[in-house]
Amino acid sequence: MCGLCGLLGIDHWTETSANAEVFSGDIERSIRHERAHRVLLLNKALAPVRMKARDFQASSYIISSSTGRSEIVHDIQALWLAVEKMGSKPVDPLSAEYLDQLSKGQP
Amino acid sequence: MIPVNIVTGFLGSGKTTLLREVLGRPEYADTAVIVNEFGEIGLDHFLLEEVEEGILLLQSGCICCTIRSDLQETIRSLQKRAGDGLIPKFRRLIIETTGIADPAPIVSTISSDPLISKHFYLANIVCTVDGLSGASSLASAPEAFKQAAVADRILVTKSDLTEIDILVKIEKTLRHLNPTASIQRSSGAEFDTKHLFSQDVFVSNAEAEDVLTKLDRHLKGSASIQDPLKILHDISSFSLEFPGSIDWIAFGVWLTATLHVHGENILRVKGILNTRESAEPVFINGVQHTMHPPIHMDRWPNGERTSRIIFITRGIKKDIVQRSLHAFLSAADKEYRQNELADLTTFRT
């Protein structure tokens, strides 16, 4: 994670808490609920590349590989880069092969 | 927060003429300008020097990723000097790119640098296209085509020197390329500066409605028409529609992963979303890897609560984007239904 981002408290555009004025609908999720939901969806997306994500204190995400390597990232944009840095092939949502694996829910 | 306008356009397309005209008007007197010297002679600098003080020249030739730090330093220095009283305070910043520069890294610099993004925001990208020679530039130079593709405002210049049928043809090409951009003509002085510069794209509700109107026109009208220049550069402009509400979290997971791998070839994303998390429409807008904070619109135009997104891509076709986004949204829908069922079960017991 970038220390400066943490220091300045910069939230990613996908975080609804960063754009509270936008997301004021009927289904208001708490920050914990929102992050739990994101982690669940991230794990579905990461399954084809055999990686896992989990929330870290509602401020960061920890990504880990099947060999036990792990890295902490500030937001989901950084997460995709970390997947590649940890030696995996990238999660490519526009790859037909990836989408086939995603629909099966397994690598 | 200080708005930043990026002025781009191919070599000789009239960027400097546009700036001279704009900076000469009293309402833009408190504007700082960063020009980029290209080649040995900083011609742009000499032209602009008489109009506006405080112009800074970047040391490198081109604003691109390799010298992005120069731009960072220049903006930070400009702001510090204004804060220290060494130069007059400014209320707007205009960055003029070189004729062959890619504007996307500048967008990224403004949005992603923590210090800059606290004080500046991107207002819009203005692109000049030469009415006389623009068609040949768009055909032969991928840079020119990309500059027009990522723009929010396009100014077709030298309209007084260009025959009307040529103007109409180039405007048609530009509309096919970038359906949501506003296109104006200019003969050097007559253009709407307010629309070009003051109307902020990334924070304005009115702008979001305007984009949506153009997007709907694209969906209903010329979506299937293919322009020869788009085929030449392998550019696609297509729209997707999703009935019902969509999961914002799933959309964010999908778009961030997609932009990570394909951001270089996703030139623009704009759209209106009907999300579960908001009763009102959410407007999204991005340039390549950079997405801007979503805008909350006041109401649903036409009462039609349908998510509509337009993509301008290079080498990426509509069918795979549609399949991919649908897969991610479906996964979230499945979870949502299971949770609803679980809630119901809990309630009954």
Side-chain angles (χ1 to χ4, degrees):
Chain A
M1 178 187 10
C2 163
L4 194 56
C5 289
L7 189 69
L8 295 174
I10 293 175
D11 290 319
H12 194 254
W13 65 270
T14 53
E15 303 277 345
T16 55
S17 53
N19 306 283
E21 75 290 357
V22 177
F23 300 100
S24 53
D26 297 334
I27 306 173
E28 274 191 68
R29 294 185 171 111
S30 67
I31 292 175
R32 286 277 182 193
H33 185 189
E34 177 189 318
R35 292 181 74 87
H37 183 55
R38 184 176 290 114
V39 164
L40 193 146
L41 296 177
L42 281 172
N43 280 319
K44 282 179 186 285
L46 288 168
V49 296
R50 297 173 183 274
M51 291 215 165
K52 287 183 178 172
R54 68 178 195 272
D55 181 48
F56 178 73
Q57 298 199 350
S59 63
S60 306
Y61 300 95
I62 293 175
I63 178 168
S64 52
S65 71
S66 53
T67 59
R69 284 186 65 191
S70 64
E71 190 164 328
I72 187 164
V73 292
H74 182 58
D75 56 49
I76 57 170
Q77 194 68 63
L79 185 142
W80 305 120
L81 180 64
V83 167
E84 280 185 71
K85 278 165 69 178
M86 288 168 72
S88 164
K89 60 180 180 181
V91 170
D92 181 0
L94 301 188
S95 148
E97 183 194 359
Y98 171 80
L99 289 174
D100 288 342
Q101 290 172 338
L102 186 71
S103 64
K104 289 175 195 161
Q106 57 188 23
Chain B
M1 294 283 277
I2 298 170
V4 181
N5 300 104
I6 297 173
V7 176
T8 188
F10 202 59
L11 300 164
S13 61
K15 297 184 293 296
T16 305
T17 308
L18 170 67
L19 279 181
R20 270 197 302 187
E21 173 64 24
V22 170
L23 297 173
R25 299 188 183 189
E27 61 268 36
Y28 291 91
D30 50 3
T31 300
V33 183
I34 296 175
V35 296
N36 192 307
E37 187 182 35
F38 184 68
E40 293 180 359
I41 304 169
L43 183 62
D44 288 349
H45 176 245
F46 290 114
L47 284 174
L48 286 168
E49 196 173 43
E50 294 174 357
V51 180
E52 174 67 28
E53 290 181 9
I55 293 165
L56 299 174
L57 282 172
L58 293 174
Q59 293 305 307
S60 310
C62 220
I63 297 177
C64 62
C65 291
T66 51
I67 63 144
R68 206 165 60 180
S69 58
D70 281 16
L71 184 61
Q72 277 179 312
E73 289 306 316
T74 304
I75 297 175
R76 286 181 187 179
S77 157
L78 198 60
Q79 198 199 8
K80 185 173 187 310
R81 287 161 60 199
D84 292 346
L86 298 172
I87 58 171
K89 284 198 187 309
F90 54 93
R91 288 198 299 171
R92 181 170 294 275
L93 175 63
I94 296 179
I95 301 173
E96 183 199 7
T97 75
T98 69
I100 56 167
D102 179 352
I106 304 171
V107 176
S108 153
T109 304
I110 296 161
S111 317
S112 56
D113 179 276
L115 294 178
I116 293 174
S117 64
K118 283 279 178 190
H119 301 283
F120 297 85
Y121 69 92
L122 183 64
N124 65 25
I125 304 170
V126 180
C127 177
T128 52
V129 176
D130 190 320
L132 280 173
S133 63
S136 67
S137 304
L138 291 171
S140 60
E143 297 91 349
F145 213 70
K146 187 178 173 188
Q147 288 165 347
V150 302
D152 300 296
R153 310 271 185 261
I154 298 175
L155 191 68
V156 179
T157 59
K158 304 174 191 174
S159 62
D160 53 332
L161 306 173
T162 313
E163 288 177 24
I164 187 75
D165 54 334
I166 294 175
L167 281 176
V168 170
K169 197 175 169 191
I170 200 166
E171 285 169 352
K172 196 174 165 189
T173 296
L174 293 167
R175 208 163 286 121
H176 284 156
L177 168 65
N178 190 343
T180 59
S182 296
I183 301 172
Q184 284 186 41
R185 291 178 193 172
S186 164
S187 59
E190 301 89 33
F191 48 81
D192 182 355
T193 48
K194 191 179 171 198
H195 182 67
L196 281 180
F197 289 96
S198 304
Q199 208 166 311
D200 299 342
V201 173
F202 296 93
V203 293
S204 154
N205 240 291
E207 176 69 24
E209 289 214 15
D210 182 50
V211 166
L212 191 64
T213 306
K214 291 193 176 77
L215 200 158
D216 280 346
R217 200 181 302 146
H218 178 251
L219 273 167
K220 285 170 189 157
S222 59
S224 58
I225 297 172
Q226 272 295 357
D227 189 276
L229 285 180
K230 282 172 66 180
I231 295 168
L232 178 70
H233 294 294
D234 201 14
I235 298 283
S236 302
S237 317
F238 55 86
S239 313
L240 301 181
E241 278 187 285
F242 291 88
S245 59
I246 67 169
D247 188 291
W248 169 256
I249 307 296
F251 180 78
V253 168
W254 175 79
L255 190 56
T256 51
T258 304
L259 290 179
H260 175 70
V261 181
H262 298 283
E264 201 182 332
N265 293 317
I266 298 179
L267 306 182
R268 287 264 9 195
V269 182
K270 279 185 189 175
I272 184 170
L273 301 180
N274 177 11
T275 67
R276 290 208 181 104
E277 293 85 352
S278 174
E280 281 80 34
V282 174
F283 181 69
I284 54 157
N285 197 347
V287 179
Q288 293 197 288
H289 291 99
T290 307
M291 286 300 294
H292 293 270
I295 298 172
H296 181 208
M297 291 175 71
D298 296 333
R299 60 189 172 83
W300 278 94
N302 311 325
E304 208 177 324
R305 299 170 69 96
T306 309
S307 298
R308 285 155 276 178
I309 314 166
I310 189 164
F311 295 85
I312 303 177
T313 61
R314 184 169 47 203
I316 297 172
K317 301 299 176 203
K318 178 179 178 176
D319 53 351
I320 187 70
V321 176
Q322 192 163 26
R323 183 189 164 196
S324 177
L325 179 52
H326 187 262
F328 275 68
L329 294 179
S330 298
D333 284 346
K334 200 174 161 190
E335 289 302 322
Y336 182 68
R337 281 195 297 272
Q338 280 175 355
N339 286 342
E340 268 193 331
L341 195 64
D343 287 348
L344 275 174
T345 314
T346 311
F347 179 73
R348 281 173 188 156
T349 52

